[in-house]
Amino acid sequence: TSLRVGSSTLSVGPMPTADYSMVAAFRNNIGSTGMASLAGARTGWAGESGSARFQRLCLFAGLDAARYAVGSGTSTSTMGSQPLAGKSLTSALQEVADVESGSLYVAPSGVLTYNARSNRYNKSSTLTIAPQTIERDLTFVTNDAYVVNAATVTRTSDGYAGFAEDLTSQGDYGLIQRSSSAAVDTAEQTTNLAQWLVYRYKDPGTRDRKRHV
């Protein structure tokens, strides 16, 4: 089988010298959609949404379509290239959730589900407890165990690091740092993710120790 590149006739002048890589031959015309999908493989499909990457990884792993699903919420971040050698499917999918600060879980139906971060905002109540049914030992405490006021997020593809901090929180609670890595697409997103982490966790949350109904 021979592969011809260019015209069938030889033009005047020397033929170009070139190196070819990632050459593939197809029996039929795969069209522009197929070509775009193959081109995406060159960059690890950088730029696609978290929900798209979640579905792609499940497809690569051979999961039946009925065994995984994208839940509600809109992806606000885009994925970069994601090395997969030596990783389990669970680890790779958790990296996707980390980029979005979304959630990855198995639903009661047994379906592996991915939700974008926005899924947690402005949720409707799923359970309402009448005040008279709550015991009097209900107490609320301020827990600073999850405070983060200086965050560094490193892009896995090239080691670029984004940083954010809140000086007011550091003055109130001391310097509390958190470092993490993320397979984000752009350098700007490392800073955005660090800023979101500090904004979300710069102040301690109020939690109830126990609730008897």
Side-chain angles (χ1 to χ4, degrees):
T1 301
S2 61
L3 175 65
R4 187 181 65 204
V5 179
S7 173
S8 59
T9 60
L10 196 62
S11 59
V12 177
M15 289 290 289
T17 300
D19 295 324
Y20 298 94
S21 63
M22 301 181 69
V23 176
F26 300 90
R27 185 179 299 275
N28 301 311
N29 184 358
I30 64 174
S32 58
T33 301
M35 288 298 297
S37 179
L38 291 174
R42 297 178 61 250
T43 60
W45 291 279
E48 67 181 355
S49 66
S51 56
R53 181 64 57 85
F54 167 80
Q55 295 178 86
R56 185 181 300 281
L57 293 176
C58 289
L59 181 64
F60 284 171
L63 294 184
D64 186 272
R67 296 180 57 190
Y68 61 91
V70 174
S72 57
T74 302
S75 293
T76 58
S77 303
T78 51
M79 298 292 304
S81 59
Q82 187 180 11
L84 300 176
K87 294 179 183 176
S88 66
L89 175 62
T90 303
S91 297
L93 292 177
Q94 187 58 57
E95 289 179 349
V96 178
D98 290 343
V99 166
E100 179 65 30
S101 293
S103 55
L104 177 70
Y105 61 94
V106 177
S109 61
V111 175
L112 182 62
T113 306
Y114 168 80
N115 281 332
R117 183 174 71 205
S118 60
N119 175 69
R120 301 198 295 266
Y121 299 154
N122 302 318
K123 296 283 289 183
S124 300
S125 298
T126 57
L127 175 65
T128 301
I129 302 175
Q132 62 270 22
T133 64
I134 301 177
E135 297 290 344
R136 293 184 179 181
D137 61 350
L138 175 65
T139 57
F140 291 92
V141 296
T142 299
N143 189 340
D144 61 359
Y146 299 101
V147 170
V148 175
N149 49 41
T152 301
V153 178
T154 303
R155 185 165 58 173
T156 55
S157 60
D158 60 3
Y160 179 90
F163 177 76
E165 63 179 344
D166 188 283
L167 298 180
T168 300
S169 175
Q170 292 177 17
D172 292 338
Y173 311 108
L175 177 62
I176 305 175
Q177 303 181 71
R178 174 176 172 180
S179 298
S180 60
S181 59
V184 293
D185 180 26
T186 65
E188 180 184 11
Q189 288 186 81
T190 62
T191 302
N192 291 343
L193 185 54
Q195 290 173 339
W196 183 85
L197 288 170
V198 171
Y199 172 79
R200 174 65 179 82
Y201 297 106
K202 64 182 179 179
D203 296 312
T206 302
R207 302 170 181 269
D208 57 323
R209 289 182 175 178
K210 57 184 177 180
R211 183 182 305 145
H212 293 156
V213 179

